[in-house]
Amino acid sequence: MDLNPPPGENYANPRICFFHVLFKAGALAFYILSALFFDSFVIIFVVTVLLSALDFWVVKNVSGRILVGLRWWNEIDDNGESVWKFECLDQESLARMNKKDSWLFWWTLYLTAVVWIFFGIFSLIRFQADYLLVVGVCLTLSIANIVGFTKCRKDAKKQFQQFASQTIANRFSSTIQSAFSAV
């Protein structure tokens, strides 16, 4: 992954990018600044977790689909087993995705988790178990999206490889058939 955004290209979906970043930044900023304005841990917990939950939902259901063409969810089948489900755009549409949108999506997804880990370490060092709980919930939501979208991206690559292999095999087979039918 490149550290710098792709040059010369504007965001194709600036509003989606804005909301993709808004709830992440809102949860982190509220967590950092809340101690200055609120004495109640309950308010800090509820608002920070609510903002993280909104971020989770926006990323999972809106920005992931629009910015990178991926969507995931998890279902419980009839046997009680957890089953991951993935959706992705076709390869032609994925190739046309805006690189700057994609860059923003992936970097903010990973960077947010890193910041929550940093806050978790800081809470551990300061022996603040209550704030560690807030960080744990927020980190869990961030990691759930990372795992879901990473699995979805791998599944999309695997589907593309299977499609390419099948297409090549079909072409080869039809070429062989036409060569023998001409004889």
Side-chain angles (χ1 to χ4, degrees), residues 100-115:
K100 209 167 199 177
D101 288 356
S102 178
W103 178 89
L104 178 81
F105 177 85
W106 290 108
W107 272 99
T108 57
L109 196 65
Y110 288 111
L111 187 60
T112 304
V114 168
V115 172

Side-chain angles (χ1 to χ4, degrees), residues 39-53:
D39 292 332
S40 172
F41 172 74
V42 173
I43 291 173
I44 294 168
F45 179 88
V46 169
V47 173
T48 304
V49 170
L50 179 65
L51 288 169
S52 285

Side-chain angles (χ1 to χ4, degrees), residues 73-90:
W73 66 96
N74 193 294
E75 294 178 351
I76 304 300
D77 68 7
D78 295 335
N79 298 328
E81 299 290 322
S82 177
V83 179
W84 288 85
K85 301 284 186 169
F86 306 109
E87 282 182 0
C88 68
L89 295 176
D90 59 82

